[in-house]
Amino acid sequence: MNRVKFIDRMAQGKVARRDMLRAAAAIGVGVSTMPLKARAANNITAMEWAGYEAPEYYQAYVAKHEKAPDFSFFSTEEEAFEKIRAGFPADLMHPCTYSINQFKDGGLVKPIDTSRLSNWPDVIEPLKTWSGVVLEGDVVMVPTDWGNSSVLYRTDMVDPEYMKDESWSILFDEKYTGRVAPSDGESNVEIAGLLLGMSRDDIFHMTDEQMEQVRPLLERQTKVARFYWTAQAEAIAALASGEIVAAYAWNDAVKTLTKDGIPVKYAVPKEGIFTWLCGLTLLNSGEGDEALTYDFLDAWLSPETGKYMIEEVGYGHGNRKSFELAAPEALAALGFSTDPTQMLSDGILFQPVPGDINTKYINLFNEIQAMSGT
Amino acid sequence: MANKAIAASAARAAPRPASGVSAFFLKHEWARGYTLLSPTLGVMIIAMCVPVFMLTAHSFWTQNYLTIDKTFTFANYVQFWEKEIYFKLLVKSIKISAIVTFTTVVLAYPMAYFMAFKVKKNKLVWLILITVPFWTSFLLRVFAWKIILGFNGVINSGLISLGLIQEPLEFLLYNPTAVIITLAHAWAAFVILPIYVSLEKIDRSLLEAATDLGDGPVSRFLRVTLPLSMPGVIAACLFVFIPTVGDYVTPKLVGGTEGIMIGNIIQSQFGKANNWPLGSALSIYMVFGITLCVLGFLLVARLITKGGSLKAS
């Protein structure tokens, strides 16, 4: 579930020349300020997904301090985790609800004092206490960006029956052998559990027995799948060319393909649509000024940032005011309503999978992939 | 290697009177040898021995989620045999690499032969031309094949525009064959060059002698050229076989759901699955697997070349 968002957008040709230059400049600035860190020890360092260094995400911070944090980029949370554990002095990190656990378990997380965030009262109410935002009574992640995960399919290429009865099962259906692309990773274990009628909670805490129950379904999927995508751009390209008819995808993929005139629909599977939620976490490995980290979090939570994300990026935001601020057509294009609470509670939020169970999911998925074709 | 270097430097050292440091070096062969070797030796120790030592140490430890338990245990080695996937995957990876090696050598040999025997002028230009694809990164070469073999790729759109097929061929990409094709191209230069060098070294008078004694082109090739180029062929095989067994990028990008190799599992253990000790043990099994295959290969190669040179003499 690694989201190489900027690269994705770049591959889709969605990055304008200015964005590109800005990103290049940001990297340049980041690189050129690196040696300065020794002298100006109090600047903060944020570990980010590539693309999130754009100043639009934290305008208020730049306005106040006239500088950006130092950025260090990662492409998977595991990579970031290993780097921080190895002693990299980062102040902030951008994990998601499903990946926050290992940072907490690794003893890297610093609880967030929400009274120091002026935008906290405007955070969408249920998100304030969501599992992953709060762990063991502490707020460990400020919820910033969120969206859905569902099946994206070609309306002109699927069986018309499917459109009346949208389901995750298309990613496992032998009728579509060589025609579907799930994402690469353990989320398939969770989806398979959902298809077998396990509860929305159980799929994130499967017992060994339940894992054995999903195994045959996953084995079938490896035969059905054309490929497991590692960057969403792969799935988008394959959907556009007609190589596949359905794929696991995020909201922004719908926007891209519709803009190109490809007849696609974002399914609302009868088993439920997934919601992912990511945010910013304070780390105790940092050497930067703590007040700056709070300003940075607050800037991220501002409705202006949310407006930018909804309109330009295609994701939801943690602040409910952003949904009032954003252009209604942008919200409609993403399938969002002005009331994000409803949408969030309808979806199945990716919950943190406990470390040892997560390892079992990974091994199960690996094992099944490894066995296919031997 | 070390012994050779020492011997070579010893052979060149003429006894002549000297004093101080140079006297010390002149007196002690080993000192000269090791001094000459020292930069390489240093790099070897830092970049090879230390990681291998760490790998070995890790393989005897265990990891429980985030904490590494440093109690000595064979658990990881035992685990390899408990689940059939690891062994199967190792065998599959070795099989894929063996096919890659064979394909690459068969395809590259004519090219090397052509360069060694037919190209008379501008050999350097030919050599450079062969290495041109290698000026780009390995990853780009893999991506290039994705474009060539893809659904809307060069082959499919070419065949469609020729009217030979109506629908794009889907068996081209995302399977073990795609991995083999990609790897065979990606490593071609490492095969062409050693074979070219060994062919180039062949004394042309031997070929004339064979012709004089009544050998036709085919038997001359089989009895003289091929046996004499065997050192290059063997080197080429090792150059390709050893690194490709552990490759994980190529299977990830073009292998689809069936092309996964042992490298992918090892990578996952060091990354997502968070089990460095098991990853280490798997790596060590892989190294042993490769060693066994290489030893077997060298044994067979020796038997064949002996037989060949006997016939030639």
Side-chain angles (χ1 to χ4, degrees), chain A residues 1 78 81-82 85 101-102 105-106 178-179 184-186 221-223 225-228 230 234 241-243 355-356 359 362-363 366-367 369-374, chain B residues 63-67 83-86 88-89 92 146 150-152 167 169-171 173-174 252-253 256-260 264-265 268-274 276:
Chain A
M1 212 176 296
E78 290 79 16
F81 177 70
E82 292 298 339
R85 277 235 293 180
N101 260 27
Q102 61 174 337
D105 296 344
R179 290 259 164 274
D184 189 17
E186 322 70 68
Q221 188 181 50
T222 53
K223 292 193 188 79
R226 175 86 175 126
F227 57 87
Y228 285 98
T230 44
E234 287 177 85
S241 69
E243 181 174 9
D356 49 334
T359 309
I362 291 163
N363 286 334
N366 272 346
E367 204 175 295
Q369 273 212 297
M371 285 304 275
S372 82
T374 52
Chain B
Q63 184 164 7
N64 183 13
Y65 184 31
L66 296 179
T67 41
K83 280 189 182 160
E84 52 176 352
I85 60 153
Y86 302 121
K88 273 193 171 177
L89 210 54
K92 180 183 165 191
K146 222 173 159 167
F151 190 76
N152 282 342
E167 290 286 309
L169 303 171
E170 294 189 357
F171 61 83
L173 194 56
Y174 300 127
K252 191 102 217 170
L253 290 175
T257 56
E258 288 188 349
I260 203 171
N264 298 87
I265 294 292
S268 160
Q269 296 302 332
F270 278 95
K272 269 185 169 184
N274 249 323
W276 286 36

Side-chain angles (χ1 to χ4, degrees), chain A residues 255-301:
Chain A
K255 205 174 157 186
T256 315
L257 285 167
T258 316
K259 214 191 279 170
D260 289 349
I262 313 277
V264 287
K265 188 169 178 291
Y266 202 46
V268 183
K270 58 183 173 192
E271 299 87 7
I273 193 166
F274 280 104
T275 304
W276 52 263
L277 169 68
C278 302
L280 293 170
T281 291
L282 293 185
L283 303 169
N284 55 22
S285 55
E287 293 166 356
D289 189 341
E290 196 180 43
L292 288 180
T293 61
Y294 275 95
D295 281 348
F296 187 69
L297 294 184
D298 213 21
W300 255 95
L301 278 179

Side-chain angles (χ1 to χ4, degrees), chain A residues 22-58:
Chain A
R22 198 182 296 134
I27 291 168
V29 169
V31 171
S32 62
T33 52
M34 265 175 209
L36 291 175
K37 258 189 340 189
R39 269 175 285 159
N42 63 350
N43 198 15
I44 57 172
T45 306
M47 291 209 77
E48 268 295 3
W49 306 89
Y52 278 125
E53 74 286 357
E56 283 85 349
Y57 289 107
Y58 47 90

Side-chain angles (χ1 to χ4, degrees), chain A residues 208-225:
Chain A
D208 290 358
E209 206 174 293
Q210 284 171 317
M211 275 184 234
E212 284 313 305
Q213 286 169 9
V214 298
R215 183 188 286 270
L217 209 52
L218 290 170
E219 278 166 357
R220 192 164 84 206
Q221 188 181 50
T222 53
K223 292 193 188 79
V224 169

Side-chain angles (χ1 to χ4, degrees), chain A residues 28-236:
Chain A
V29 169
V31 171
S32 62
T33 52
M34 265 175 209
L36 291 175
K37 258 189 340 189
R39 269 175 285 159
N42 63 350
N43 198 15
I44 57 172
T45 306
M47 291 209 77
E48 268 295 3
W49 306 89
Y52 278 125
E53 74 286 357
E56 283 85 349
Y57 289 107
Y58 47 90
Q59 286 149 334
Y61 181 88
V62 180
K64 188 170 169 186
H65 299 286
E66 292 179 337
K67 64 176 173 185
D70 294 332
F71 286 103
S72 162
F73 301 107
F74 60 90
S75 58
T76 65
E77 285 110 321
E78 290 79 16
E79 179 197 327
F81 177 70
E82 292 298 339
K83 187 167 173 179
I84 298 164
R85 277 235 293 180
F88 183 73
D91 300 282
L92 293 140
M93 152 76 196
H94 195 154
C96 301
T97 50
Y98 53 84
S99 56
I100 179 77
N101 260 27
Q102 61 174 337
F103 289 90
K104 171 93 176 150
D105 296 344
L108 303 173
V109 170
K110 194 160 70 175
I112 296 165
D113 176 6
T114 54
S115 65
R116 293 174 70 174
L117 300 169
S118 68
N119 287 313
W120 183 259
D122 297 329
V123 168
I124 300 167
E125 209 51 51
L127 288 186
K128 288 181 182 172
T129 51
W130 221 293
S131 171
V133 173
V134 176
L135 285 181
E136 292 162 25
D138 291 327
V139 175
V140 291
M141 183 173 96
V142 165
T144 51
D145 47 331
W146 57 270
N148 293 118
S149 293
S150 183
V151 175
L152 180 61
Y153 64 92
R154 287 277 298 250
T155 49
D156 55 337
M157 291 169 80
V158 291
D159 189 337
E161 286 303 303
Y162 177 78
M163 297 179 65
K164 290 180 210 144
D165 190 27
E166 294 171 339
S167 161
W168 283 104
S169 64
I170 194 167
L171 299 180
F172 299 81
D173 194 340
E174 274 147 348
K175 205 164 76 186
Y176 294 100
T177 299
R179 290 259 164 274
V180 295
S183 81
D184 189 17
E186 322 70 68
S187 61
N188 294 300
V189 178
E190 290 148 14
I191 296 168
L194 205 60
L195 278 171
L196 289 178
M198 290 176 199
S199 80
R200 291 178 169 207
D201 279 326
D202 277 2
I203 57 169
F204 301 105
H205 312 87
M206 280 188 210
T207 60
D208 290 358
E209 206 174 293
Q210 284 171 317
M211 275 184 234
E212 284 313 305
Q213 286 169 9
V214 298
R215 183 188 286 270
L217 209 52
L218 290 170
E219 278 166 357
R220 192 164 84 206
Q221 188 181 50
T222 53
K223 292 193 188 79
V224 169
R226 175 86 175 126
F227 57 87
Y228 285 98
W229 60 258
T230 44
Q232 191 178 246
E234 287 177 85
I236 291 176

